[in-house]
Amino acid sequence: LITEVTLPRNVSYCDQMAFAYAPALKTVHFEEGSRLKTIGMQAFRECGSLEYVDLPETVESIGAACFYECPRLKWVHVGKNLNHTENGTFGYCDSLREVIVLGAPPTIHNLVLHCPQLKKLVIGTKDATPGTTILENATTFHASNIEYLELGANIDSLEQGALDLDSIKVFVCWAVTPPRCDPFWGTFGLSAQSRLSPLYVPKQSVEAYRVANGWKDFENIVPIDDLGDVNGDGVVNLDDLTTLINFLVFNNVSFNTALADTNLDGKISLDDLTTLINILVGII
């Protein structure tokens, strides 16, 4: 049985069902300098041992159900050149915890289906071309345990119940103009608790999000530009570091929790202190 495969750098097309139903396939390598552009439909369907996939940055297109029913798949990374994806890319991946899709296809539909362990989802980047991607109905379907969601500047609209954010803890949206939400369908599937979770948006857009259909359902809309302003005085400096240290050591100060969560993991810890120090010295 095949347990490992390496695709040569000169392969530009991975045919449909190329590695489907390979129960022992655990690792897929892409040779340095890979020219892979297209992955056909169901190419890795039901690869029962596959755990991690880091696709080459050259990948532009992913076919339908490409990673369907891969029960051990935990993590997938897709680069910025992706411009086409089809239905059900990730379906019934019971162990899937993190999906990062940095590209900006015109339409994303049924991206994640029945992935109950998914915790982190990133679609697009903050420097992507604005208004180029529509998230259609059931972008996430039966994946209601997502805790971290990041949408790039490319997101233009969210259609017909596109996202299920019942368990969301941190939501980042880089779009300067709030993506349009379908006026007749619930876009986010928010619970009473998730409504209180911070929604981080560009500072210049906070007021627009507060009145926009769908987005106004979030009760804690936070300017991401102010991240690190722990004491809420409008500037990030050593006073914020002192405030955070006092909380972590003595737990005796009040502060802006959303702005103190500098690493955006939904909790306040020493990791946030490290990130804040990096911000102050200009590393980040």
Side-chain angles (χ1 to χ4, degrees):
L1 294 176
I2 298 174
T3 60
E4 184 174 346
V5 65
T6 299
L7 269 68
R9 65 173 58 88
N10 61 341
V11 172
S12 62
Y13 177 71
C14 179
D15 204 356
Q16 62 183 13
M17 302 188 74
F19 301 101
Y21 308 105
L25 181 61
K26 186 174 183 179
T27 307
V28 179
H29 298 289
F30 300 92
E31 212 169 52
E32 187 175 354
S34 174
R35 301 172 190 170
L36 184 64
K37 289 187 176 182
T38 302
I39 302 176
M41 62 183 296
Q42 302 185 63
F44 295 95
R45 179 169 183 160
E46 293 188 43
C47 288
S49 299
L50 188 64
E51 294 185 2
Y52 305 97
V53 178
D54 191 358
L55 296 177
E57 291 292 320
T58 52
V59 171
E60 298 176 357
S61 176
I62 298 177
C66 186
F67 297 96
Y68 208 77
E69 292 186 289
C70 295
R72 295 186 181 178
L73 187 64
K74 296 181 176 68
W75 183 91
V76 178
H77 177 277
V78 187
K80 292 183 179 181
N81 287 309
L82 184 72
N83 58 40
H84 177 78
T85 183
E86 297 177 359
N87 290 356
T89 304
F90 307 100
Y92 293 88
C93 297
D94 294 339
S95 301
L96 190 62
R97 297 184 64 85
E98 181 172 313
V99 174
I100 298 177
V101 179
L102 299 181
T107 302
I108 296 179
H109 176 76
N110 287 351
L111 180 68
V112 180
L113 308 174
H114 296 276
C115 296
Q117 298 303 314
L118 187 66
K119 299 294 184 183
K120 180 175 182 178
L121 176 62
V122 177
I123 303 175
T125 63
K126 68 177 181 180
D127 57 353
T129 302
T132 55
T133 300
I134 297 173
L135 300 185
E136 290 190 334
N137 58 309
T139 296
T140 62
F141 184 70
H142 286 190
S144 59
N145 288 312
I146 296 173
E147 296 181 354
Y148 179 93
L149 174 65
E150 182 172 344
L151 300 181
N154 50 298
I155 305 303
D156 177 74
S157 62
L158 303 153
E159 306 290 348
Q160 298 181 5
L163 300 166
D164 187 351
L165 303 182
D166 186 62
S167 301
I168 196 70
K169 293 182 179 178
V170 176
F171 187 178
V172 178
C173 187
W174 292 104
V176 172
T177 300
R180 295 188 303 274
C181 294
D182 192 304
F184 302 108
W185 296 76
T187 299
F188 299 111
L190 297 174
S191 64
Q193 183 61 40
S194 61
R195 287 174 183 270
L196 302 176
S197 298
L199 166 63
Y200 295 91
V201 302
K203 188 172 185 175
Q204 69 197 84
S205 307
V206 169
E207 292 307 317
Y209 276 87
R210 284 177 177 163
V211 298
N213 179 53
W215 299 99
K216 63 185 178 181
D217 294 339
F218 290 90
E219 298 181 24
N220 188 16
I221 300 178
V222 182
I224 196 167
D225 310 65
D226 291 348
L227 202 63
D229 183 15
V230 181
N231 61 10
D233 65 356
V235 61
V236 180
N237 56 25
L238 289 175
D239 290 339
D240 298 297
L241 189 64
T242 301
T243 301
L244 188 54
I245 290 172
N246 283 335
F247 168 75
L248 292 170
V249 175
F250 303 110
N251 195 23
N252 64 351
V253 294
S254 60
F255 60 92
N256 188 315
T257 303
L259 295 180
D261 182 17
T262 54
N263 67 351
L264 298 177
D265 66 352
K267 59 181 182 293
I268 308 301
S269 68
L270 286 173
D271 291 336
D272 297 299
L273 185 63
T274 300
T275 305
L276 180 54
I277 291 172
N278 288 337
I279 291 172
L280 291 171
V281 299
I283 294 177
I284 296 179

